[in-house]
């Protein structure tokens, strides 16, 4: 249940609401919701609570929410959330196109790729400086030097920067350079890290954990919102199933499902789902056709020599062609700015 209080509520009135909730045995917290302060009440069982709270002085409105994810839920906020990052808007009919290599390797590689993805229509540049690698012997990223290269690429192109943070210790450093901090699939349920993201004001791109249900995915996003950061972009990147032919399985059905469940913008990462360049375009087009708000695609200026994930990276030219077809699909299906779901 969400309690919206009057804008100029008195301290004594808020204290009464908190006392009432505590005395009735309800856990609660305050958060930002749709640009304003709200009180979130967890596990509401009593049907009368809503009416009782509504009568308290200082309460403007009570929104009952049955789902365990509350701030994220479409029931709480029927309109789509739009997130603005520099010139880049995502959600509510604004399509966010994020392209770039798996990992930052050199200044030349990043600037060349950035210029090309921008020409193709990208609004943001991706590239990992801190890389989660399955093998401890694999390239782990250039760390802060990589972040500095990303900042140069932004200066050169004006593209917003999306890059991953893997731990509580490095998240503030990453946020000093990035416009959007990415939380990867392996950290999707790292609750201390999610809490840390909640304390920040930088937008977060949260990937679905590859074994998370949609509800678990939204509960992870809820951690960030409950912490006070309402700038969350969700990213479906494929889940692990019994099928091994592709790297992961991209669940297309997750896209319309999440649409109903949440107001948050949703992007798809076809690259990590596919694992092979041959599958990136078909998965992308399917995701665009079902109405995703944006894409996160791996693009490398020289995929054959990439230090990481070259096998699934598009060349800038392939990316450009793909973007053109995506735009055609979006025009045909009228996924324009006025479409709200
Ligand atoms: C990535 O996007 O760089 C990445 C590592 O993706 P994921 O967390 O989805 O595996
Ligand atoms: Mn990758």
């Amino acid at each position: 249940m969400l309690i919206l209080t009057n804008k100029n509520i008195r301290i004594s009135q808020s204290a009464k609401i908190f006392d009432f909730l505590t005395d009735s045995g309800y856990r609660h917290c305050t958060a930002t919701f749709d640009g304003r302060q709200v009180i979130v009440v967890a596990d509401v069982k009593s049907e009368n609570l809503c009416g009782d709270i509504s009568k308290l002085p200082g309460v403007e409105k009570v929104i009952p929410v049955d789902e365990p994810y509350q701030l994220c839920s479409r029931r709480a906020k029927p309109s789509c959330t739009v997130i603005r990052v520099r010139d880049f808007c995502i959600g509510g009919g604004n399509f966010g196109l994020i392209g770039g290599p798996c990992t930052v390797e050199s200044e030349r590689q990043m600037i060349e790729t950035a210029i090309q993805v921008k020409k193709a229509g990208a609004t943001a540049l991706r590239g990992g400086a801190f890389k989660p690698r399955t093998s401890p012997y694999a390239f782990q990223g250039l760390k802060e030097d990589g972040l500095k290269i990303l900042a140069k690429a932004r200066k050169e192109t004006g593209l917003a920067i999306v890059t991953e943070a893997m731990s509580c210790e490095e998240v503030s450093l990453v946020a000093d350079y990035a416009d959007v901090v990415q939380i990867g699939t392996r950290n999707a349920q790292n609750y201390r890290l999610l809490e840390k993201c909640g304390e920040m004001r930088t937008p977060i791109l949260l990937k679905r954990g590859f074994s998370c249900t949609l509800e678990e995915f939204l509960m992870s996003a809820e951690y960030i919102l409950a912490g006070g950061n309402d700038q969350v972009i969700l990213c479906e990147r494929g889940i692990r199933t019994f099928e091994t032919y592709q790297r992961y399985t991209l669940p297309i059905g997750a896209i319309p499902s999440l649409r109903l469940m949440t107001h948050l913008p949703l992007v798809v990462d076809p690259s990590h789902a596919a694992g092979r360049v041959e599958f990136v375009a078909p998965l992308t087009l399917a995701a665009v056709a079902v109405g995703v708000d944006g894409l996160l695609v791996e693009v490398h200026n020289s995929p054959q020599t990439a230090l990481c994930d070259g096998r699934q990276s598009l060349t800038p030219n392939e990316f450009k062609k793909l973007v053109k077809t995506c735009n055609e699909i979006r025009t045909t299906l009228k996924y324009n700015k006025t479409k709200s779901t």
Side-chain angles (χ1 to χ4, degrees):
M1 187 176 85
L2 300 180
I3 305 172
L4 274 65
T5 51
N6 290 332
K7 288 220 169 69
N8 30 22
I9 184 170
R10 284 195 236 116
I11 295 174
S12 59
Q13 292 176 327
S14 313
K16 276 219 176 88
I17 302 174
F18 290 131
D19 286 348
F20 181 87
L21 291 169
T22 309
D23 294 347
S24 316
Y26 285 108
R27 272 173 296 103
H28 51 86
C29 71
T30 51
T32 314
F33 176 71
D34 209 7
R36 55 183 294 177
Q37 286 282 103
V38 291
I39 303 167
V40 186
V41 188
D43 301 324
V44 174
K45 301 214 168 56
S46 152
E47 281 177 12
N48 302 331
L49 188 71
C50 199
D52 293 345
I53 300 267
S54 306
K55 286 185 210 130
L56 294 177
V59 172
E60 185 185 305
K61 192 175 161 193
V62 176
I63 308 177
V65 184
D66 295 336
E67 292 85 7
Y69 48 91
Q70 300 204 46
L71 296 162
C72 295
S73 85
R74 175 73 79 178
R75 192 186 303 261
K77 179 175 179 280
S79 67
C80 294
T81 289
V82 179
I83 295 183
R84 175 173 253 291
V85 195
R86 296 172 73 86
D87 299 337
F88 151 52
C89 263
I90 184 157
N94 300 282
F95 196 69
L97 187 58
I98 309 162
C102 182
T103 182
V104 180
E105 298 166 17
S106 69
E107 190 172 320
R108 184 159 170 228
Q109 166 239 15
M110 275 322 291
I111 308 266
E112 265 184 38
T113 311
I115 292 171
Q116 300 265 23
V117 295
K118 181 163 185 179
K119 267 198 205 143
T123 39
L125 178 68
R126 62 149 290 145
F130 292 90
K131 289 303 302 175
R133 301 303 301 276
T134 305
S135 164
Y137 310 117
F139 177 60
Q140 303 289 316
L142 293 178
K143 317 231 159 86
E144 191 169 2
D145 288 341
L147 296 175
K148 289 184 179 152
I149 293 175
L150 286 167
K152 274 195 188 158
R154 169 175 52 207
K155 199 158 176 234
E156 200 76 25
T157 58
L159 289 172
I161 299 298
V162 181
T163 192
E164 178 162 355
M166 294 198 299
S167 71
C168 292
E169 294 72 40
E170 76 206 19
V171 75
S172 322
L173 174 72
V174 172
D176 284 346
Y177 291 89
D179 297 295
V180 177
V181 173
Q182 178 175 319
I183 299 298
T185 194
R186 296 159 182 82
N187 271 313
Q189 289 184 300
N190 179 340
Y191 299 119
R192 296 297 81 82
L193 181 58
L194 298 173
E195 280 171 352
K196 195 89 192 149
C197 292
E199 288 166 20
M200 303 196 308
R201 291 299 164 264
T202 310
I204 307 293
L205 184 139
L206 174 67
K207 290 201 159 189
R208 178 179 184 177
F210 57 71
S211 67
C212 284
T213 63
L214 293 181
E215 187 173 299
E216 286 165 342
F217 183 22
L218 290 183
M219 290 311 283
S220 292
E222 189 79 10
Y223 262 86
I224 305 172
L225 270 73
N229 186 355
D230 60 357
Q231 304 288 290
V232 176
I233 302 164
L234 301 171
C235 178
E236 173 57 79
R237 48 80 68 207
I239 51 174
R240 183 153 281 168
T241 66
F242 53 83
E243 181 55 68
T244 55
Y245 192 67
Q246 295 190 3
R247 190 172 175 185
Y248 291 90
T249 298
L250 184 72
I252 285 295
I255 299 162
S257 304
L258 284 165
R259 268 276 175 270
L260 283 185
M261 296 165 87
T262 181
H263 54 85
L264 294 173
L266 173 65
V267 305
V268 158
D269 169 355
S271 312
H272 289 90
R276 274 163 60 185
V277 77
E278 301 86 306
F279 304 128
V280 172
L283 295 185
T284 301
L285 298 179
V288 169
V290 290
V292 81
D293 297 304
L295 297 165
L296 178 81
V297 184
E298 286 191 338
V299 185
H300 197 287
N301 61 338
S302 166
Q304 314 83 307
T305 59
L307 288 181
C308 182
D309 285 349
R311 189 74 192 84
Q312 66 194 33
S313 298
L314 301 182
T315 61
N317 218 14
E318 287 166 340
F319 180 63
K320 196 170 161 199
K321 280 194 201 140
L322 183 59
V323 171
K324 194 168 168 284
T325 317
C326 290
N327 286 335
E328 285 163 6
I329 293 178
R330 284 183 55 78
T331 307
T332 308
L333 296 178
K334 300 192 173 52
Y335 285 134
N336 52 36
K337 281 194 186 173
T338 53
K339 194 153 181 156
S340 66
T341 56

